[in-house]
Amino acid sequence: MVLLAQKCGDRDHCVRADSRILFTGGLDLPGELAGLTSKQRITERVNQTSSVSEFILLGLSSQPEDQKPLFALFFIMYMVTLVGNLLIILAICSDTQLQTPMYFFLSILFSIDVCYTTTIVPKMLVSFLSEKKSISYAECMTQMYFFLAFANTESYLLAAMAIDHFVSICDPFHYVTIMSHRHCVLLLVFSCSISDLHSLLLVLLINRLTFCDSNVIPHFLCDMNPLLKLSCSSTLISDVVINIEGLITLVTPFMCVIISYFRILIAVLKIPSAAGKHKAFSTCGSHLTMVTLFYGNNIYVYFRPLSSYTIKDRVATVIYKILSSMLNPFIYSLRNKDMKQGVRKLMGRRRSQAAPS
């Protein structure tokens, strides 16, 4: 503090305000600040740099002619996501043959897909048709908390499903004991708890940042990277904590998936018959597709330098947050005989109830 004041000398005026050093000399002050006293100027500067009440979301395109086509596209995707995921959830809940640990995790996974697309897409749809594309500071932090929580819970559920596949293939005689309903519920509680704490920590780190001249977010939602890039205060601590903690949180379930499938591969290669190998691999195909979509896009978006963040990252975010949620029900229902049978039973019951007696 003293060294900084000594360096200023007589040319600049260094003033301490709100635990920060403001250098006012040598700067062209705005007209509305020119007539103020030094103390008033300090107060005004502090207010300007610490009181962002809302952000502007640029979305996927700033061209007016693109807004209605984008609205139609994302409205259709959102409706397909809701109908597809809810249909699979109802099929699982109503069919006794689907009351297994794998389908328990699958129903929770599809419920989470519905929740975090609902966290993102309705706000996007409103922005497409509105001239004012703003989001309040509190709403921005809330949106970021929930979509991070849901996304991280999905990561841990994908790991839990990989463990389920591993136990069913590599240790089928102890499957019922290991993957009991109690253990499945404990895995779910652990996944949700870790994800909520992770999201809370990230939101608190973002909340401590200062946003200055611009409040324009080049994105369609409040995400960490755009907000870190927008901040005018030091993001060193936030960057270090987010990268270390985020790496641990994302890599831990990812390593569970990798280790589980490595063990599955070894076990399947020992099966003598080709039919047995095909059956074992076919049970994992849908899950591997979901894992590839989820982790591939996550790694691409979040594990790169902040300075390299571009519009391509927005497209990648759309793919993993919205498109993957829409495709997941089709990936599982089209490749899974039990799931297709469960959906047919559900639709058959609905038709019989709707038919006149």
Side-chain angles (χ1 to χ4, degrees):
M1 211 55 95
V2 174
L3 290 174
L4 285 172
Q6 288 174 347
K7 286 181 180 179
C8 290
D10 297 329
R11 183 171 54 84
D12 291 329
H13 304 290
C14 295
V15 188
R16 181 176 181 180
D18 192 27
S19 301
R20 285 175 287 185
I21 295 293
L22 299 179
F23 296 87
T24 60
L27 295 176
D28 294 327
L29 294 176
E32 64 270 18
L33 297 182
L36 301 178
T37 65
S38 297
K39 187 174 181 180
Q40 289 172 327
R41 288 175 186 172
I42 295 164
T43 304
E44 186 65 25
R45 285 281 180 188
V46 172
N47 288 337
Q48 285 182 1
T49 61
S50 61
S51 59
V52 173
S53 60
E54 64 178 20
F55 294 102
I56 307 298
L57 297 173
L58 290 184
L60 293 173
S61 173
S62 58
Q63 301 300 320
E65 62 271 17
D66 295 337
Q67 303 307 305
K68 288 184 179 178
L70 284 172
F71 173 86
L73 174 64
F74 280 94
F75 179 77
I76 292 170
M77 289 174 66
Y78 184 52
M79 288 297 105
V80 172
T81 301
L82 289 182
V83 173
N85 282 280
L86 291 175
L87 184 64
I88 298 297
I89 293 168
L90 288 173
I92 292 172
C93 294
S94 61
D95 192 343
T96 54
Q97 292 184 347
L98 299 180
Q99 304 300 311
T100 63
M102 183 182 75
Y103 292 110
F104 168 76
F105 289 125
L106 201 59
S107 64
I108 302 298
L109 187 70
F110 289 152
S111 301
I112 288 170
D113 280 344
V114 169
C115 290
Y116 86 58
T117 50
T118 301
T119 303
I120 299 167
V121 178
K123 182 62 181 178
M124 287 179 64
L125 297 177
V126 172
S127 297
F128 287 140
L129 300 181
S130 175
E131 293 183 4
K132 187 180 180 183
K133 303 180 184 298
S134 62
I135 182 171
S136 69
Y137 185 90
E139 189 180 357
C140 181
M141 295 298 110
T142 303
Q143 184 190 58
M144 185 167 62
Y145 170 80
F146 279 108
F147 97 77
L148 286 173
F150 292 135
N152 279 284
T153 303
E154 179 166 349
S155 175
Y156 279 93
L157 285 175
L158 288 172
M161 292 171 70
I163 294 170
D164 175 75
H165 286 306
F166 162 70
V167 176
S168 65
I169 293 173
C170 300
D171 195 6
F173 297 109
H174 296 96
Y175 179 78
V176 176
T177 305
I178 296 173
M179 299 304 296
S180 65
H181 182 70
R182 179 175 177 272
H183 290 167
C184 290
V185 172
L186 287 175
L187 276 172
L188 176 61
V189 171
F190 173 79
S191 301
C192 293
S193 301
I194 291 294
S195 301
D196 287 342
L197 291 173
H198 167 74
S199 302
L200 181 61
L201 173 62
L202 296 185
V203 169
L204 291 175
L205 286 171
I206 296 295
N207 190 55
R208 64 184 290 275
L209 299 178
T210 303
F211 301 94
C212 302
D213 299 328
S214 176
N215 65 340
V216 178
I217 301 176
H219 212 319
F220 58 85
L221 79 159
C222 290
D223 202 354
M224 289 185 301
N225 286 346
L227 288 170
L228 285 169
K229 201 170 182 179
L230 193 65
S231 173
C232 61
S233 60
S234 174
T235 61
L236 178 61
I237 296 175
S238 298
D239 283 337
V240 171
V241 174
I242 287 172
N243 286 328
I244 294 174
E245 195 271 343
L247 189 67
I248 294 171
T249 306
L250 185 65
V251 168
T252 301
F254 182 63
M255 289 307 298
C256 285
V257 173
I258 296 297
I259 293 169
S260 296
Y261 275 108
F262 180 73
R263 297 287 300 275
I264 287 170
L265 180 62
I266 293 173
V268 170
L269 291 176
K270 293 179 181 178
I271 298 175
S273 66
K277 290 178 181 178
H278 180 267
K279 183 179 179 181
F281 279 127
S282 64
T283 60
C284 305
S286 300
H287 182 254
L288 277 172
T289 305
M290 294 171 69
V291 166
T292 303
L293 273 173
F294 182 84
Y295 285 106
N297 282 285
N298 257 310
I299 291 168
Y300 175 79
V301 172
Y302 293 108
F303 289 91
R304 295 192 303 132
L306 188 61
S307 57
S308 64
Y309 188 85
T310 63
I311 193 170
K312 291 181 181 179
D313 297 288
R314 282 186 267 172
V315 176
T317 309
V318 170
I319 292 172
Y320 105 79
K321 284 183 171 62
I322 300 172
L323 188 61
S324 62
S325 297
M326 184 184 74
L327 294 178
N328 282 347
F330 298 100
I331 292 170
Y332 254 92
S333 61
L334 293 176
R335 296 176 61 95
N336 190 301
K337 292 181 180 179
D338 293 335
M339 184 65 74
K340 284 192 283 189
Q341 187 177 358
V343 172
R344 288 195 196 101
K345 287 181 181 178
L346 178 66
M347 299 303 291
R349 281 195 293 269
R350 291 292 179 267
R351 290 195 194 97
S352 62
Q353 291 174 0
S357 54

